[in-house]
Amino acid sequence: MTLLTLLFVGASLASAADEPDIMLEPVVSGLSRPVSITHAGDERIFITLQRGLIVIHDGLQLLSEPFFDITTLVSSSGERGLLSVAFHPRYRENGFFYANYTDLDGDTVIARYTVSASDRNRADPGSRKVILPIDQPFANHNG
């Protein structure tokens, strides 16, 4: 079980030599193998789980339904799995985001997906467009 902690850095600095005020605040517990966190330009935090899920923390709580579920496409063990997600700079307009994962053959896949047209907290798994498949000769160091 993993506890995810966000790091907040204070913005008030008297001079460049001063150290920032740092406060750690636990926001989510009970997640299995989180590998990255990011945002889409709003209040939500997207947490990538190695087994092939992306879940959302909306600022108050972890939403009960995952944003993204490609567990049936992902080989998830050791250094393999859903490793990262990146949102398009114009995500609000086009709904595009990109996933980096290890497929069932052990190869790396970079694919573009789109958010659901009817629910901003759900991705459309049928929108997958593979951008870059990369053959991997070994089971590790494929990120």
Side-chain angles (χ1 to χ4, degrees):
M1 195 175 302
T2 302
L3 176 68
L4 180 68
T5 303
L6 297 182
L7 178 66
F8 294 98
V9 178
S12 60
L13 298 176
S15 71
D18 289 341
E19 296 293 322
D21 296 324
I22 297 175
M23 179 181 73
L24 298 177
E25 179 181 318
V27 294
V28 178
S29 63
L31 296 177
S32 176
R33 299 181 316 194
V35 293
S36 71
I37 62 172
T38 191
H39 65 88
D42 57 27
E43 73 284 352
R44 299 173 297 165
I45 297 170
F46 293 79
I47 305 164
T48 303
L49 305 179
Q50 186 180 10
R51 72 179 185 266
L53 297 172
I54 298 172
V55 295
I56 297 175
H57 189 280
D58 68 1
L60 299 173
Q61 65 183 352
L62 191 66
L63 301 184
S64 60
E65 294 293 320
F67 170 73
F68 187 57
D69 182 349
I70 58 168
T71 53
T72 60
L73 301 177
V74 172
S75 171
S76 175
S77 63
E79 297 179 15
R80 296 178 173 191
L82 177 57
L83 302 177
S84 185
V85 64
F87 289 89
H88 190 282
R90 291 194 324 254
Y91 175 75
R92 288 183 189 212
E93 291 87 40
N94 62 26
F96 294 158
F97 67 96
Y98 302 86
N100 171 10
Y101 63 92
T102 310
D103 70 12
L104 298 175
D105 294 324
D107 296 325
T108 298
V109 174
I110 309 294
R112 186 186 75 196
Y113 289 87
T114 306
V115 69
S116 166
S118 62
D119 184 351
R120 76 182 198 121
N121 290 324
R122 298 293 303 232
D124 176 2
S127 66
R128 180 176 70 154
K129 178 179 181 184
V130 174
I131 303 295
L132 181 65
I134 303 169
D135 290 335
Q136 296 291 351
F138 303 107
N140 62 342
H141 303 302
N142 296 335

